[in-house]
């Protein structure tokens, strides 16, 4: 009987530890490495299907996607890059083409490639596209449904400082006041 009691206690402890471990894991940001992944997908489209494992072809495609001319301080981005975030990512990619082509050639998923590059340069996964707030004509944006982090990002993109904002309602009010500013 005592053995049975100890067995139940051990099972409960183990299940409690497993539940705590699952709960303790941080939620993954869905926008993490989005600019890196997007650019790697565009580079992949430039590589012919029969050369996807050829490192030289991948490096050449990276150069084609990112560079108009030059290197280092003379580097000029490809005019086809419409977003400043893509230009910044290409500026980071240019000197590390070999580090990109090696895992890329093995068929590693793009998110894993970005996370591997993140170990060398943490800025790679911190670059994110601007937050898009879509509204239909005649409708108001419901800022109360957004998270405080998103509200702060939105205000930052508008170039507005929210001095004295401590509550979510303060950030919502400031977003509504600055709605007329372009992103």
């Amino acid at each position: 009987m005592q053995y049975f009691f100890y067995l139940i206690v051990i099972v409960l402890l183990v299940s409690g530890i497993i539940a705590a471990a699952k709960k303790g894991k941080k939620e993954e940001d869905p926008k993490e490495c989005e600019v890196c992944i997007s650019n790697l997908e565009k580079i992949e489209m430039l590589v012919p299907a029969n050369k996807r494992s050829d490192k030289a072809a991948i490096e050449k495609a990276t150069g084609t996607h990112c560079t108009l001319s030059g290197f280092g301080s003379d580097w000029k981005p490809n005019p086809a890059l419409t977003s400043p975030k893509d230009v910044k990512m290409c500026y980071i990619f240019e000197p590390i083409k070999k580090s990109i082509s090696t895992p890329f050639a093995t068929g590693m998923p793009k998110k894993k490639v970005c996370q591997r590059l993140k170990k060398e340069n943490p800025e790679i996964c911190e670059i994110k596209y601007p937050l898009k707030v879509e509204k239909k004509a005649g409708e108001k944006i419901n800022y109360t449904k957004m998270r405080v982090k998103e509200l702060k990002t939105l205000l930052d993109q508008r170039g507005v400082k929210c001095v004295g904002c401590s509550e979510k309602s303060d950030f919502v009010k400031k977003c509504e006041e600055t709605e007329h500013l372009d992103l």
Side-chain angles (χ1 to χ4, degrees):
M1 187 69 171
Q2 212 174 15
Y3 174 73
F4 183 70
F5 175 73
Y6 287 125
L7 184 63
I8 290 175
V9 169
I10 290 172
V11 168
L12 289 174
L13 282 173
V14 170
S15 64
I17 291 170
I18 291 172
K22 285 182 181 178
K23 195 176 196 180
K25 286 185 181 177
K26 209 174 190 183
E27 258 189 58
E28 193 173 306
D29 183 8
K31 292 185 163 227
E32 182 185 33
C33 302
E34 70 176 339
V35 177
C36 177
I37 293 167
S38 170
N39 278 280
L40 288 179
E41 287 171 350
K42 291 173 187 172
I43 290 168
E44 183 181 40
M45 287 190 290
L46 294 173
V47 179
N50 61 343
K51 294 193 175 194
R52 294 254 161 94
S53 60
D54 183 8
K55 292 178 188 177
I58 295 167
E59 290 173 28
K60 184 179 178 194
T62 303
T64 304
H65 170 69
C66 291
T67 307
L68 177 64
S69 65
F71 187 79
S73 61
D74 296 330
W75 181 77
K76 290 188 179 31
N78 187 340
L81 300 172
T82 54
S83 169
K85 303 297 182 180
D86 289 332
V87 172
K88 186 172 185 175
M89 187 58 63
C90 279
Y91 185 77
I92 293 170
F93 277 179
E94 198 56 39
I96 59 169
K97 287 181 191 175
K98 288 190 189 308
S99 299
I100 294 168
S101 66
T102 304
F104 203 89
T106 63
M108 185 182 285
K110 284 142 205 70
K111 184 162 186 148
K112 291 273 187 196
V113 173
C114 292
Q115 288 172 340
R116 181 179 280 185
L117 295 170
K118 179 182 172 183
K119 291 176 185 173
E120 295 171 27
N121 186 349
E123 190 177 12
I124 284 181
C125 287
E126 291 175 5
I127 301 171
K128 296 179 177 144
Y129 288 117
L131 186 65
K132 291 181 180 140
V133 180
E134 296 186 25
K135 74 173 189 177
K136 296 175 185 165
E139 284 187 19
K140 289 188 88 173
I141 299 170
N142 190 354
Y143 293 108
T144 57
K145 290 185 177 180
M146 297 173 76
R147 295 175 177 236
V148 173
K149 184 177 181 180
E150 292 172 331
L151 295 170
K152 286 180 180 179
T153 304
L154 190 61
L155 289 171
D156 189 43
Q157 289 172 1
R158 291 177 178 172
V160 176
K161 300 282 185 216
C162 194
V163 180
C165 295
S166 58
E167 301 279 327
K168 182 176 179 176
S169 58
D170 298 333
F171 289 103
V172 168
K173 184 178 178 187
K174 193 70 164 180
C175 284
E176 288 170 348
E177 291 171 359
T178 60
E179 200 170 84
H180 65 282
L181 298 173
D182 284 337
L183 294 176

